[in-house]
Amino acid sequence: MTSTEVSGQSLSIGEVADRTGLSVHALRFYEREGLLVGPVGRTSGGRRRYSSFDVDWLLICVKLRESGMPLADLKRFAELVRQGPGNEAERLRLLDTHQRRVDAQIKALEECRSVIAWKVGVYAEHLARGEAGGLWDPTA
């Protein structure tokens, strides 16, 4: 029995693209690269049929990739999940490393936002007073 049969729901590649925000091309890439947990079901005509489990997994993958997880780490994570129980500590290490990387990115972005907010304030204040001329004027 396939995972599609277990879930009771069978979705076309177009439907999965709509639900995940991934293109059909990206879905084929994910499958080819071994980023899915299980094999994608096929119709007798060879068309891909995805289960709701596949969609849930792809939604996790999308967030991991959007947050900057390297493709190699995502492949390793998918491989570990496919292997089943017994490797949860390694999965945790992968996710923890990625979380620390995301936390560092957020901290850096917050620092950038702070500088931008300060500069917006400087310009807004000068414009409100009608004294904006000459702010960082390279011709002055």
Side-chain angles (χ1 to χ4, degrees):
M1 183 178 287
T2 68
S3 61
T4 302
E5 293 166 341
V6 170
S7 73
Q9 186 178 28
S10 176
L11 303 166
S12 72
I13 195 168
E15 291 169 320
V16 173
D18 288 342
R19 290 184 185 202
T20 62
L22 293 168
S23 68
V24 168
H25 176 74
L27 287 167
R28 289 183 184 123
F29 172 81
Y30 271 52
E31 183 180 357
R32 198 171 47 251
E33 291 296 313
L35 298 173
L36 297 172
V37 175
V40 174
R42 300 281 179 155
T43 65
S44 58
R47 293 188 179 269
R48 289 171 175 85
R49 298 304 295 179
Y50 294 83
S51 70
S52 57
F53 176 84
D54 294 325
V55 173
D56 292 344
W57 174 257
L58 284 164
L59 290 170
I60 291 168
C61 290
V62 165
K63 292 304 178 193
L64 292 173
R65 286 295 291 151
E66 282 179 354
S67 62
M69 179 178 268
L71 193 56
D73 288 354
L74 184 55
K75 280 182 176 183
R76 180 65 182 147
F77 186 56
E79 180 183 313
L80 291 168
V81 172
R82 270 193 305 275
Q83 290 172 5
N87 58 30
E88 293 81 3
E90 188 173 351
R91 294 184 210 179
L92 176 59
R93 278 192 297 277
L94 263 172
L95 292 172
D96 185 56
T97 297
H98 183 60
Q99 182 176 1
R100 281 187 270 120
R101 188 171 35 244
V102 169
D103 288 344
Q105 291 171 334
I106 290 169
K107 183 177 186 277
L109 284 172
E110 286 172 342
E111 291 169 1
C112 292
R113 182 178 57 194
S114 176
V115 169
I116 293 166
W118 166 73
K119 200 62 189 165
V120 164
V122 168
Y123 275 84
E125 183 180 314
H126 279 80
L127 283 170
R129 289 193 317 239
E131 301 173 357
L135 280 173
W136 284 23
D137 184 356
T139 62

